[in-house]
């Protein structure tokens, strides 16, 4: 544990300084500060996706759905009179457990079949958000979600941004501790060759399940904070495109590298907001980037830097890397 | 001479794939301190037998016992925990990971693993110490085969089932591998599938001959080589 | 009397939707069966054909038949271009289906973005001028001749597709590649050429489905995603690579949709497809009609 912190200590320190500085530097402009906050929120999500995709080699397209379940659950609990800080753990745990429950059968499937199954599950979740109107207010969504209470007042503005910075730093510390623990090594083994990993004594299903639970928890915590931070949730907020975009941030930065996901997030998460009126152009840009990553940058932009995990970037298991000439 | 303690007992194993019957009521017992060989023509069910014993396949009929306890249908990770492990016919290591990471992965869920000094000594013995930082995929085939063995040794496996350990090696490498295996059989139980009779003759105390999914016979290398059926059915053709 | 009306109308709708689903799913499964590409963008290609038809027939004022032929014809060079630029790069990649899947999701996102900043701004509902005037009565049930023509054309296309795959040498080569790439290449089939041919043929069939759909129904941009999901469900249940499976399950889905939407909301139909697909994925991932 201390080894892990020593190894990534400098990175974590730099990230923490940047994460806290960001809201303070942008405090003058609420809109930019909001974009910064959204990026910090996405760091929580990409940390979870990094664990699932970068380390365990799973591509869960239901990631956004789990975040959404948590967000709706948190909003529902708050509407029922619970404080946000009570609703948060309940909603997050609930969503992560639902995620594991839904994902459990899919975890037996491999590669494309797992991804397809997760897409189906995501679609079901999105449809459920639309369909169960009395819980979710359907397509219209729920707006004017109250901010969490914080020392007597509402948590807003820079205060909320700093809470998100803390959350993002916490997520990265957790990710570092997880992947540097024996658990991380097991996941890499499962990603590289699950049959061989099993033969060497690793309980593959159990590791995938554990990774799925932890990854879902990241998704869910991010979702629960998303609701009051943005103040609005709708089925569109948590559709498959969000899953895909979070995946893109990880893959773009470099799968299996701790900091690649952060770089990818910082570069890509603010994009839709900076495009403002051309909001929909984001889809085109993200789509082009997805193709670019698959075709040109299978290791991501940090993938070439030779850390241990980076050496394992391209694997056959999810097969996102072209066969090496060597 | 041996304590006659069985390493594993396979009893009446039947394994079908759709219409293909790969194993027909095969019974084999391996005792501690004994090296068992298995020969047979292509497709006679040798690899399938190893797959059943190590938990990769659940047989339709029959039982596998390890240390007296029934383990039929256990998943491979539980077989590994019980000390029963195998190598693959086509060499299989984590190609993208370094040799050091391969070894570390082999120890991560091994309850009885070696300590660092023992690992270092084993690395020396298998002459892989200088390759620790290299991705396993860029090792030579012979080195990869040694790494495979090393990864089982650091777990202190009680039985390693080797599926054609000299396949693809050059004549010199085969000689070197024979030496390695000769030492290895003093460290752990060995079960060796081979087409190369030389390997079987040098290593095996007893040899199981497979033919079309059935156990044709079992005996010492000298006995089976003297058997007309074996010479006709297998050696005659393999050497033709 | 009203029962009869409902019956015939449900039958007709089921047949119409079934034929369109079958065409699209057949296209998707042909591409998956040969090059191993699960094309999640099939719904966008389907919509692209429908929108292009709308542009040609409405904006440019071409005769609907000319417009339809133009759109379906144009899918060929478009597919070839795409194959040349992107698809063929992965032909030798192991486990390329995941790469292709993600790639096609990227294409989906690009097309969805493009449609929403163009067609989405121009109109929310798209309707093509009828192929021909008049209505025909099937018993008590009136059907526009245009829709009837779309149905007949669809059935004819499916029949032609089957004939091609069964009797023509290219079709037989495609099926040989479905069954066993290595054996096919040993028997002298140029596997890469067959890949290209399958990609073109598959997309052409999908485009034809889109064109027929646009003649039969007015549509909006949301049809793409539900078509993608439906076609995937059909392919998985029918068995990836099985054209017979795609058509059989496609027809079942068409009737299911017609029956369900006569009595409940379309969401229920979608839920049931997804449920069926999930079940098959978990129980028998090779599908019902797997060889
Ligand atoms: N997973 C499987 N699915 C279907 N058939 C299989 C499977 N594994 C093995 N078989 C069949 O079982 C039979 C025995 O195969 P096996 O691999 O055990 O033979 P082998 O003795 O190891 O041959 P070789 O010397 O070529 O390695 C063969 O007919 C093979 O095709
Ligand atoms: Mg074999």
């Amino acid at each position: 544990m201390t080894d892990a912190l020593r190894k990534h200590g400098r990175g974590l320190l730099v990230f923490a300084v940047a994460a806290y500085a960001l809201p303070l530097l942008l405090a003058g402009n609420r809109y930019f500060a909001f974009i910064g906050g959204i990026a910090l929120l996405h760091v929580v999500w990409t940390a979870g996706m990094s664990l699932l995709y970068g380390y365990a080699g799973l591509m869960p397209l239901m990631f956004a759905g789990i975040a959404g379940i948590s967000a709706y659950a948190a909003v529902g609990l708050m509407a029922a009179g619970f404080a946000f800080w009570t609703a948060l753990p309940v909603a997050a745990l609930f969503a992560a457990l639902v995620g594991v429950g839904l994902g459990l059968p899919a975890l037996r499937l491999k590669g494309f079949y797992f991804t397809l199954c997760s897409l189906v599950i995501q679609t079901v979740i999105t449809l459920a958000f639309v369909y169960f109107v009395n819980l979710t207010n359907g397509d219209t969504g729920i707006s004017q979600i109250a901010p969490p209470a914080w020392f007597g007042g509402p948590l807003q503005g820079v205060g909320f941004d700093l809470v998100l910075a803390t959350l993002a730093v916490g997520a990265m510390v957790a990710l570092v501790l997880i992947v540097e623990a024996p658990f991380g090594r097991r996941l890499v083994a499962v990603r590289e060759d699950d049959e061989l990993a099993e033969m060497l004594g690793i309980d593959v299903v159990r590791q995938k399940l554990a990774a799925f639970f932890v990854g879902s928890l990241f998704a869910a915590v991010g979702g629960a904070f998303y609701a009051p931070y943005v103040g609005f949730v709708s089925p569109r907020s948590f559709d498959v495109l969000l899953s895909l975009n979070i995946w893109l941030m990880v893959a773009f930065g470099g799968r299996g590298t701790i900091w690649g996901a952060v770089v990818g997030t910082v570069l890509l998460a603010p994009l839709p907001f900076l495009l403002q009126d051309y909001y929909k152009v984001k889809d085109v840009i993200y789509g082009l980037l997805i193709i670019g990553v698959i075709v040109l940058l299978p290791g991501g932009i940090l993938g070439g830097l030779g850390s241990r995990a980076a050496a394992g970037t391209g694997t056959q298991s999810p097969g996102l890397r072209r066969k090496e000439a060597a | 001479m041996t304590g006659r303690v069985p390493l594993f007992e396979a009893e009446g194993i039947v394994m079908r794939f759709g219409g293909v019957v790969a194993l027909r009521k095969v019974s084999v017992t391996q005792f501690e301190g004994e090296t068992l060989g298995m020969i047979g023509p292509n497709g006679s069910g040798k690899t399938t037998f190893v797959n059943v014993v190590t938990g990769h396949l659940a047989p339709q009929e029959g039982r596998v016992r390890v240390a007296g306890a029934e383990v039929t249908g256990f998943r491979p990770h539980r077989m590994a925990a019980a000390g029963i492990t195998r190598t693959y016919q086509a060499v299989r290591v984590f190609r993208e990971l370094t040799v050091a990471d391969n070894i570390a992965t082999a120890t991560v869920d091994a309850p009885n693993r070696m300590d660092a000094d023992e690992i270092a000594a084993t690395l020396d013995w298998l002459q892989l110490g200088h390759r620790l930082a290299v991705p396993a995929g860029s090792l030579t085939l012979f080195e990869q085969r040694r790494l495979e063995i090393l990864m089982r040794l650091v777990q202190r496996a009680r039985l390693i089932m080797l599926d054609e350990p000299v396949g693809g090696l050059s004549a010199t490498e085969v000689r070197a591998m024979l030496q390695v295996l000769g030492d290895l059989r003093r460290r752990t139980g060995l079960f060796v599938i081979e087409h190369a009779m030389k390997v079987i003759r040098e290593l095996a105390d007893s040899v199981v001959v497979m033919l079309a999914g059935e156990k044709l016979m079992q005996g010492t290398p000298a006995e089976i080589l003297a058997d007309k059926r074996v010479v006709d059915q297998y050696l005659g053709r393999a050497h033709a | 009397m009203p029962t009869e009306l409902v019956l015939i109308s449900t039958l007709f709708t089921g047949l119409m939707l079934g034929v369109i689903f079958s065409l699209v799913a057949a296209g998707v499964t042909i591409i998956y069966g040969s090059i191993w590409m699960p094309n999640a963008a099939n719904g966008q290609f389907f919509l692209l054909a429908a929108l292009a038809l709308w542009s040609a027939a409405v904006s440019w004022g071409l005769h609907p038949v000319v417009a339809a032929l133009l759109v379906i014809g144009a899918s060929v060079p478009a597919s070839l271009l795409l194959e040349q630029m992107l698809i063929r790069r992965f032909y030798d990649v192991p486990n390329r289906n995941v790469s292709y899947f993600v790639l096609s999701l990227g294409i989906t996102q690009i097309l969805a973005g493009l449609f929403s900043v163009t067609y989405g701004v121009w109109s929310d509902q798209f309707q093509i001028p009828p192929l021909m005037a008049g209505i025909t009565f099937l018993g008590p049930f009136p059907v526009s001749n245009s829709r009837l023509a779309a149905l007949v054309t669809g059935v004819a296309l499916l029949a032609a597709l089957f004939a091609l795959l069964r009797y023509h040498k290219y079709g037989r080569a495609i099926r040989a590649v479905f069954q066993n790439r290595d054996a096919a290449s040993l028997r002298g089939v140029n596997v890469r050429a067959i890949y290209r041919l399958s990609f073109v043929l598959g997309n052409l069939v999908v485009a034809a489905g889109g064109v027929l759909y646009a003649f039969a129904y007015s549509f909006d941009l949301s049809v793409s995603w539900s078509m993608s999901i439906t076609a995937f469900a059909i392919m998985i249940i029918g068995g990836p690579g099985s054209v017979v499976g795609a058509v059989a399950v496609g027809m079942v889905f068409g009737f299911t949709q017609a029956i369900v939407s006569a009595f409940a909301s379309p969401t229920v139909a979608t839920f049931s497809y997804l449920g069926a697909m999930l079940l098959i994925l978990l129980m028998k991932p090779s599908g019902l009609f797997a060889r």
Side-chain angles (χ1 to χ4, degrees):
Chain A
M1 174 153 170
T2 46
D3 273 358
L5 290 182
R6 202 170 302 135
K7 183 168 164 194
H8 294 283
R10 188 153 7 134
L12 284 171
L13 198 67
V14 171
F15 177 69
V17 169
Y20 284 111
L22 187 74
L24 298 174
L25 291 177
L26 297 178
N29 181 329
R30 192 58 221 137
Y31 186 66
F32 284 137
F34 174 75
I35 298 174
I38 289 287
L40 289 170
L41 199 62
H42 273 75
V43 168
V44 179
W45 280 335
T46 48
M49 182 62 89
S50 192
L51 182 70
L52 287 173
Y53 175 70
Y55 287 87
L58 299 167
M59 186 175 175
L61 289 176
M62 65 206 275
F63 197 82
I66 294 165
I69 292 174
S70 173
Y72 277 112
V75 172
L77 286 170
M78 283 159 73
F82 290 94
F84 173 76
W85 303 107
T86 317
L88 167 69
V90 177
L93 206 60
F94 169 73
L97 287 175
V98 172
V100 170
L102 290 173
L104 192 58
L107 285 174
R108 284 187 316 164
L109 301 170
K110 287 187 194 176
F112 161 63
Y113 280 95
F114 172 80
T115 308
L116 177 61
C117 202
S118 73
L119 173 66
V120 176
I121 293 168
Q122 169 69 48
T123 311
V124 171
I125 296 176
T126 301
L127 282 176
F129 289 159
V130 178
Y131 193 71
F132 295 108
V133 178
N134 42 0
L135 289 176
T136 63
N137 201 24
D139 261 328
T140 328
I142 301 171
S143 48
Q144 295 183 330
I145 298 164
W150 184 259
F151 294 112
L155 181 60
Q156 284 168 327
V158 183
F160 207 155
D161 297 342
L162 289 173
V163 168
L164 291 184
T166 310
L167 197 66
V169 172
M172 291 312 296
V173 171
L175 180 65
V176 164
L177 291 179
I178 290 169
V179 302
E180 291 295 334
F183 181 48
R185 193 177 282 294
R186 293 188 189 106
L187 291 186
V188 171
V190 171
R191 177 190 80 194
E192 293 292 309
D193 184 339
D194 53 355
E195 210 179 301
L196 179 56
E198 175 96 30
M199 187 62 244
L200 292 172
I202 296 173
D203 186 343
V204 171
V205 173
R206 187 156 152 193
Q207 303 309 322
K208 282 193 192 176
L209 205 62
F212 207 73
F213 177 72
V214 178
S216 299
L217 212 52
F218 279 82
V221 169
F225 274 95
Y226 177 95
Y229 187 67
V230 177
F232 170 71
V233 291
S234 78
R236 285 285 179 94
S237 320
F238 304 105
D239 64 6
V240 66
L241 290 186
L242 179 65
S243 302
L244 202 58
N245 294 340
I246 293 171
W247 171 83
L248 174 64
M249 291 169 201
V250 173
F252 185 70
R255 79 180 285 207
T257 64
I258 299 253
W259 300 108
V262 174
V263 173
T265 311
V266 169
L267 291 178
L268 296 181
L271 205 63
F273 298 92
L274 299 176
L275 291 167
Q276 292 210 29
D277 295 342
Y278 306 99
Y279 179 79
K280 276 287 164 189
V281 174
K282 160 205 86 161
D283 287 347
V284 180
I285 296 177
Y286 279 6
L288 288 171
L289 285 173
I290 289 173
I291 294 175
V293 167
I294 293 275
V295 173
L296 303 171
L297 268 183
I301 51 182
L302 287 198
L305 308 181
S307 76
R308 174 185 66 81
T313 20
T315 68
Q316 325 122 343
S317 45
L320 292 169
R321 190 195 189 104
R322 306 181 59 193
K323 205 178 204 164
E324 300 264 350
Chain B
M1 55 175 202
T2 62
R4 301 308 274 173
V5 180
L7 274 169
F8 77 84
E9 301 157 86
E11 205 181 285
I13 303 291
V14 174
M15 188 72 225
R16 286 183 225 99
F17 299 105
V20 182
V21 188
L23 294 174
R24 301 164 195 266
K25 294 225 172 274
V26 175
S27 299
V28 174
T29 299
Q30 178 165 8
F31 293 97
E32 244 168 39
E34 140 190 276
T35 299
L36 210 56
M38 181 175 265
I39 62 171
N42 293 118
S44 56
K46 306 181 297 293
T47 299
T48 304
F49 180 73
V50 169
N51 280 335
V52 167
V53 173
T54 55
H56 284 69
L57 293 171
Q60 275 90 11
E61 289 173 35
R63 274 196 297 273
V64 181
R65 272 191 297 271
V66 169
E70 169 138 9
V71 294
T72 323
F74 275 25
R75 299 224 324 269
H77 72 94
R78 296 185 66 184
M79 298 306 301
I84 308 296
T85 180
R86 54 93 59 93
T87 62
Y88 295 87
Q89 192 164 346
V91 73
R92 201 152 177 185
V93 291
F94 297 110
R95 300 179 57 84
E96 308 267 353
L97 304 185
T98 62
V99 171
D101 279 334
N102 269 274
I103 296 167
T105 306
T107 58
V108 74
D109 273 333
N112 197 21
R113 63 177 156 266
M114 289 181 169
D115 63 33
D117 291 343
E118 288 170 290
I119 294 179
T122 320
L123 263 171
D124 273 353
W125 171 55
L126 289 171
Q127 295 174 24
L128 286 167
H130 61 297
R131 302 291 260 163
L132 279 175
V134 177
S138 44
L139 298 178
T140 67
L141 176 66
F142 186 30
E143 285 173 325
Q144 290 186 31
R145 289 243 185 247
R146 273 157 29 216
L147 176 59
E148 277 188 310
I149 291 170
L150 175 66
M151 286 164 73
R152 276 65 180 176
L153 278 178
V154 297
Q155 302 192 330
R156 258 194 263 273
R158 297 173 60 223
L159 171 67
I160 308 180
M161 305 183 87
L162 298 160
D163 198 347
E164 305 198 12
V166 304
L169 298 184
S170 74
T172 344
E173 289 167 345
V174 170
R175 273 193 298 279
M177 186 58 133
L178 263 178
Q179 207 132 52
V180 169
L181 296 179
D183 286 345
L184 186 64
R185 57 185 289 216
R186 280 192 290 277
R187 295 167 177 246
T188 176
L190 276 193
F191 179 102
V192 186
I193 294 180
E194 251 312 335
H195 285 287
M197 272 316 291
K198 182 176 151 70
V199 176
I200 293 289
R201 232 177 2 230
E202 283 202 22
L203 293 175
D205 300 310
S206 175
V207 185
V208 174
V209 184
M210 296 293 293
L211 183 66
E214 268 174 291
K215 179 171 156 183
L216 186 67
M217 67 173 297
Q218 179 169 0
T220 64
E223 283 165 4
I224 63 143
L225 283 173
D227 192 281
K228 184 167 173 333
R229 288 172 306 173
V230 175
V231 175
D232 286 354
Q233 285 292 345
Y234 178 49
L235 299 174
R237 215 177 291 163
H239 289 192
Chain C
M1 209 49 186
T3 344
E4 201 188 340
L5 191 71
V6 170
L7 190 72
I8 298 183
S9 121
T10 308
L11 271 179
F12 183 82
T13 308
L15 207 56
M16 186 76 239
L17 288 176
V19 165
I20 288 166
F21 287 172
S22 299
L23 276 171
V24 178
V28 173
T29 217
I30 285 172
I31 293 178
Y32 188 79
S34 53
I35 65 181
W36 243 35
M37 175 180 185
N39 184 10
N42 72 74
Q44 300 294 347
F45 289 179
F46 174 88
L47 177 61
L48 178 62
L51 290 171
L53 178 71
W54 182 80
S55 283
V58 176
S59 308
W60 307 349
L62 295 181
H63 186 277
V65 174
V66 177
L69 292 176
L70 192 68
V71 168
I72 296 175
S75 81
V76 173
S79 297
L80 283 174
L81 191 69
L82 192 59
E83 193 270 345
Q84 173 102 28
M85 277 168 35
L86 279 180
I87 308 302
R88 66 167 54 169
R89 290 167 179 266
F90 296 91
Y91 284 165
D92 298 322
V93 178
N95 294 316
R96 60 183 174 277
N97 53 358
V98 182
S99 308
Y100 275 139
F101 188 50
V102 179
L103 190 75
S104 69
L105 288 168
I107 296 174
T108 302
Q109 217 170 334
I110 293 174
L111 288 178
L114 288 178
F115 292 155
S116 74
V117 296
T118 53
Y119 287 93
V121 178
W122 301 335
S123 178
D124 356 306
Q125 199 72 25
F126 299 87
Q127 183 142 24
I128 312 292
L131 268 173
M132 53 186 70
I135 51 173
T136 303
F137 277 88
L138 302 174
F141 178 63
V143 185
S144 76
N145 285 344
S146 197
R147 204 174 270 188
L148 209 55
L151 176 63
V152 171
T153 315
V155 172
L157 281 175
L158 277 178
L161 184 64
F162 268 107
L164 175 76
L165 289 177
R166 190 152 301 266
Y167 301 114
H168 197 276
K169 70 172 178 182
Y170 287 134
R172 284 204 301 264
I174 287 177
R175 290 198 304 148
V177 169
F178 280 13
Q179 265 143 24
N180 189 333
R181 270 155 256 264
D182 300 334
S185 90
L186 284 179
R187 271 189 286 141
V189 175
N190 180 347
V191 173
R192 285 176 160 256
I194 293 300
Y195 283 179
R196 199 173 328 138
L197 181 69
S198 317
F199 189 68
V200 170
L201 179 66
N203 286 333
L204 186 130
V205 178
V206 170
V211 163
L212 292 180
Y213 186 80
F215 277 123
Y217 302 98
S218 68
F219 60 96
D220 61 25
L221 298 185
S222 72
V223 71
S224 56
W225 191 241
S226 44
M227 190 66 243
S228 280
I229 292 283
T230 309
F232 262 58
I234 296 170
M235 174 175 86
I236 295 293
I237 297 171
S242 163
V243 178
V244 177
V247 174
V249 179
M251 293 313 288
V252 171
F253 270 41
F255 283 104
T256 313
Q257 177 123 334
I259 293 166
V260 170
S261 26
F263 303 105
S265 87
T267 313
V268 175
T270 314
F271 265 125
S272 49
Y273 301 160
L274 293 171
M277 164 151 67
L278 220 49
L279 224 64
I280 291 286
L281 273 177
L282 300 175
M283 317 280 287
K284 193 169 183 295
S286 56
L288 296 180
F289 289 76
R291 284 167 309 266

